[in-house]
Amino acid sequence: YTTAHEMYEEVMNLGDGLIAAGLKDAHIAIVSHNSVRYVLADICVSSGVGVVTPMDVDAPAELLTTLMDKCDATAAFCSFKCLSKLEEVRKACPALKTLITMDRKVDGYPFWEELTAEGKKIAEAGSSVYRNIELDLEAPAKILFTSGTTGANKGVILTNANLAANIMNCMDTIKAEVG
């Protein structure tokens, strides 16, 4: 990605691809090392596809299973390095149906580039759903888990209004210029 517009288009296409794959209103986890795609997946899901839950890439499978159950995840984005751990989690977590690979095509799994290509076709046909979603500001958009230092991890639900407020509160610190 070289421009903000290219990243915007990637988010839009991914959104339509996820919706076409039946993931509208789904709870979708992200278990991956930091990357641009991690950020774009987070933005995409929390901005209209469903509810996103980022998870610690280094968490053991047992903890990930517990967290997936707590956040009602039915799908998860994952990097190739995390796929085998997520396959183990999926066996123990019946609600987790879909694992989406972010950085490598693996037979039998939806792949990022396939989803974005499908979304692009949908947009080019003038049939985009994602680009026309009106967000409910009070709807859940993200679940963040506490570290669990004093007990079990607890999920904190953030709404679209919470996320917008966080962005606005950062604007005094982050100096962005047009151009």
Side-chain angles (χ1 to χ4, degrees):
Y1 311 99
T2 58
T3 68
H5 181 73
E6 288 173 348
M7 291 193 301
Y8 168 82
E9 286 299 323
E10 188 85 350
V11 168
M12 296 297 113
N13 293 336
L14 180 61
D16 275 321
L18 290 169
I19 291 168
L23 294 171
K24 177 75 175 106
D25 298 323
H27 287 227
I28 303 174
I30 304 174
V31 184
S32 176
H33 294 87
N34 291 336
S35 68
V36 172
R37 285 186 174 177
Y38 183 110
V39 173
L40 298 181
D42 188 302
I43 291 168
C44 176
V45 175
S46 66
S47 297
V49 171
V51 179
V52 68
T53 304
M55 295 191 183
D56 181 359
V57 70
D58 296 319
E62 183 179 316
L63 176 58
L64 288 175
T65 300
T66 299
L67 298 179
M68 294 283 184
D69 279 336
K70 283 185 176 184
C71 75
D72 298 322
T74 57
F77 282 100
C78 66
S79 59
F80 179 75
K81 288 182 180 180
C82 300
L83 184 58
S84 61
K85 182 171 25 176
L86 268 280
E87 287 171 332
E88 182 181 337
V89 168
R90 186 167 62 172
K91 288 176 188 170
C93 187
L96 183 60
K97 302 283 187 215
T98 305
L99 300 178
I100 302 163
T101 58
M102 298 171 70
D103 55 354
R104 186 181 299 179
K105 171 69 180 136
V106 178
D107 288 341
Y109 295 92
F111 178 44
W112 178 285
E113 290 180 15
E114 294 168 339
L115 291 168
T116 56
E118 179 62 23
K120 185 175 182 179
K121 287 181 195 172
I122 291 167
E124 288 172 347
S127 303
S128 176
V129 172
Y130 185 80
R131 293 168 193 258
N132 297 303
I133 290 174
E134 289 191 35
L135 290 180
D136 175 355
L137 293 179
E138 299 309 316
K142 183 178 278 199
I143 299 173
L144 298 176
F145 281 101
T146 63
S147 63
T149 54
T150 60
N153 303 78
K154 293 172 187 68
V156 178
I157 298 172
L158 299 177
T159 65
N160 288 300
N162 296 135
L163 296 176
N166 288 343
I167 292 167
M168 295 306 294
N169 289 335
C170 291
M171 296 309 287
D172 290 337
T173 303
I174 301 169
K175 303 297 182 202
E177 297 179 21
V178 177

